[in-house]
Structure formats: C-alpha cells, structure tokens
Amino acid sequence: MHIFTDFTAAIHDAEFTSENQGMSADVINKAFLATEEEFLSLVKKQWSIKPQIASVGSCCLVGIICSGLLYIANAGDSRVVLGRLERAVKEVKAIQLSTEHNASLKCVREELHSLHPDDPQIVVLKHKVWRVKGLIQVSRSIGDAYLKKAEFNREPLLSKFRLPEPFHKPILLAEPSILVQKLYPEDQFLIFASDGLWEHLSNQEAVDIVNDCPRYGIARKLVKAALREAAKKREMRYSDLKKIDRGVRRHFHDDITVIVLFLDSHLISRSSCRGPMLSIRGGGGISAEAKT
C-alpha cells in the first residue's frame, strides 16, 4: 500500500501549523508520528477481531509547497523525482528528491545495524534479497505494528509474520526523511511514484515521458511504460501481461501508483502557509491494477 502527497496531513498539519505558526520539517514529522500512533491505536482496538491488521503497513510519501518552498517527506521506498529545465542545454533533467528506506541499499542496512547493534539478524539475505528480519524490505513505514510493538507479534497473527524471539524496541521506524528546498522557475513538474514504477523506469526515462507527452493521462502513460518494460523482461507481450489476474500479476511486477504534479512558478511565488489551510488530494494517481 502507498500513500502520496496528502496522507492525513489534512488533519494533522492544520493542527500542528497553527501551534507552530507555519510549516516546517518538525510539523511534518509530528504529522507522520501522529498518523502512526492513530493507526497503532486502531490495531490495538481491532486486535481481538481482526488480528491480521497488525501486518498491514504503508509507505508514505508527502509533498507540500508553502511560501515558495518544497517539502518532501518519505517513509518507505516510494520516490519523488523533479523535472528541472536546464536552459543552457534546453533539456529537462531528472533530480531525485526523496531518500528511500529499502534494505537493498547498503546505507539502510548500516543504519539498521547501528540502531540494533545486538541483533546480528536485523537484516537477512533471503532468496538474494535483503530483508529486515527476513520479512520486509522497507525499514520505515506507517503501520506494520507486528514489527513495532512486541504485543502484536504473537498468535493469532499468521505464523509467517511472527518472529521467534521477542524484541524490546521497534524494528521499523515511522519517522520520515525530510528534504526542504526552494522552488525555481526552471522546476517543471514532480513525479510521485511507488517503487513498482522505478523498478522498470529510470528517473530520466520517467521525466522524458512526462516532458514529451501531453499532460492529460500522463500518470497512466507512465504506468503503461513500466508495464511494457515488465513484459519485455519476462519475454512476453504487454497485451498478455494485462490478461493475468491481479493476484498472479504480483509475480510479474510490483504494484505501481503514480501522481504527476505540474508546477506553476507564478502561483508558487504567491503561495503562503498563512490563512486557511488547503488540502488537495491527488486524484490523478493511477494504479497498475487499473485498466491501461
């Protein structure tokens, strides 16, 4: 599951920005943690009737534009890429803005070892894939209570999610990595996408597609391009890949969710965090489960 651009910021950021008199990285971090606490509270309430909810988690990728500044916050392995016009060469270049939390990255494994120095099995290479405790690739998320609180890592949770030994502090984190930078007139658009897209398209390939094609339906076009690459890697036709049932499709490609946000420098320069908070949900997100 993936949450892009808004998550529950409509609830929490309005509250926290009022308290702190404006937008900041600290406000966003508090919103992530409040969202996490509310979900863990729900897991506790539902434990007796829906214990498997303890294994449910989501990556969370958030973008906020305020007073000419762009705030990007990420927990998990989704990614946001900026398309920036380089006037000297008249080309739109891809700039990755988010930091990913996937155990396949050496820096993430090092972070996990530093946070859990007494656990040599904090990351395990399983079927040629690095996984946290041999279970999950991401090291940060919203939810996944079974790896955050030991009280949920027991029966009746399915055995495939249960760890054989107890743990005394959260294995996964909910705190996001946050980037804050100024937006410039050369900044053309932002691509928010789950890792399913980036497995098949490079940052520059995705930016080129957005830059070269009409805006309408551009998120769907990115999904289609990724699925064509997935089909090609399996030496099959795209039309045949589309016919495969949803549950089986996960063996051919990961889920893909995309939102493309085009930037208007005139509006951005006039934007401000003062006054009523406005929350815009990304209705342009296209899932690979949708028809393409």
Side-chain angles (χ1 to χ4, degrees):
M1 192 195 324
H2 305 272
I3 307 174
F4 293 116
T5 65
D6 188 66
F7 74 124
T8 56
I11 300 172
H12 296 304
D13 279 350
E15 172 188 343
F16 295 140
T17 50
S18 296
E19 293 175 358
N20 293 273
Q21 300 299 310
M23 182 57 63
S24 68
D26 184 56
V27 165
I28 297 171
N29 191 66
K30 286 180 178 179
F32 267 74
L33 296 181
T35 303
E36 166 85 345
E37 287 305 312
E38 285 190 17
F39 187 80
L40 294 184
S41 176
L42 175 66
V43 172
K44 189 169 186 176
K45 291 176 182 177
Q46 297 284 320
W47 175 253
S48 62
I49 55 174
K50 294 180 180 178
Q52 306 315 320
I53 196 174
S55 65
V56 174
S58 175
C59 298
C60 189
L61 179 60
V62 173
I64 298 171
I65 296 173
C66 184
S67 301
L69 293 178
L70 172 65
Y71 298 79
I72 295 294
N74 184 51
D77 58 3
S78 296
R79 182 188 305 174
V80 60
V81 172
L82 169 69
R84 174 176 289 168
L85 175 64
E86 292 195 0
R87 299 187 186 279
V89 293
K90 296 182 179 180
E91 294 180 358
V92 177
K93 297 295 185 180
I95 301 173
Q96 183 172 328
L97 300 183
S98 57
T99 300
E100 292 164 33
H101 309 112
N102 189 304
S104 65
L105 300 175
K106 183 180 179 181
C107 61
V108 172
R109 296 197 298 274
E110 290 175 346
E111 179 185 57
L112 285 164
H113 282 299
S114 67
L115 292 172
H116 305 273
D118 299 325
D119 187 354
Q121 299 298 310
I122 189 64
V123 284
V124 177
L125 189 61
K126 193 173 182 179
H127 304 304
K128 299 182 180 180
V129 177
W130 286 102
R131 296 182 182 274
V132 181
K133 300 301 292 182
L135 295 174
I136 190 171
Q137 284 188 268
V138 296
S139 63
R140 304 193 190 195
S141 68
I142 300 294
D144 293 308
Y146 72 114
L147 291 175
K148 303 256 181 83
K149 292 183 177 290
E151 64 186 279
F152 301 124
N153 204 292
R154 58 182 176 84
E155 293 184 339
L157 189 69
L158 294 175
S159 59
K160 66 179 180 179
F161 296 116
R162 298 200 303 268
L163 298 178
E165 69 284 348
F167 58 92
H168 305 289
K169 66 177 182 178
I171 294 170
L172 304 187
L173 300 177
E175 289 89 346
S177 294
I178 300 176
L179 172 142
V180 184
Q181 70 178 39
K182 183 178 178 181
L183 282 172
Y184 295 93
E186 292 78 16
D187 296 336
Q188 305 294 297
F189 52 81
L190 297 162
I191 304 171
F192 295 80
S194 62
D195 61 319
L197 181 83
W198 308 114
E199 285 178 5
H200 302 294
L201 296 180
S202 69
N203 292 349
Q204 191 61 52
E205 285 172 335
V207 163
D208 288 342
I209 290 172
V210 175
N211 187 55
D212 295 339
C213 298
R215 292 187 179 189
Y216 181 78
I218 192 60
R220 186 180 295 275
K221 189 173 289 292
L222 284 170
V223 172
K224 189 173 183 178
L227 293 183
R228 286 189 180 280
E229 287 300 314
K232 188 185 299 183
K233 290 175 183 177
R234 289 300 189 112
E235 298 182 342
M236 62 190 304
R237 292 181 300 182
Y238 168 71
S239 57
D240 292 333
L241 179 64
K242 284 174 54 179
K243 296 174 184 176
I244 299 175
D245 292 337
R246 292 184 179 185
V248 181
R249 284 263 293 274
R250 289 300 296 270
H251 297 292
F252 292 82
H253 66 82
D254 204 346
D255 63 302
I256 305 173
T257 306
V258 179
I259 292 173
V260 180
L261 176 67
F262 291 91
L263 303 171
D264 186 325
S265 59
H266 298 292
L267 292 176
I268 289 170
S269 64
R270 297 199 302 268
S271 72
S272 172
C273 286
R274 300 190 182 281
M277 293 296 294
L278 174 64
S279 173
I280 302 175
R281 294 188 180 275
I286 300 295
S287 168
E289 301 297 354
K291 294 181 180 179
T292 56

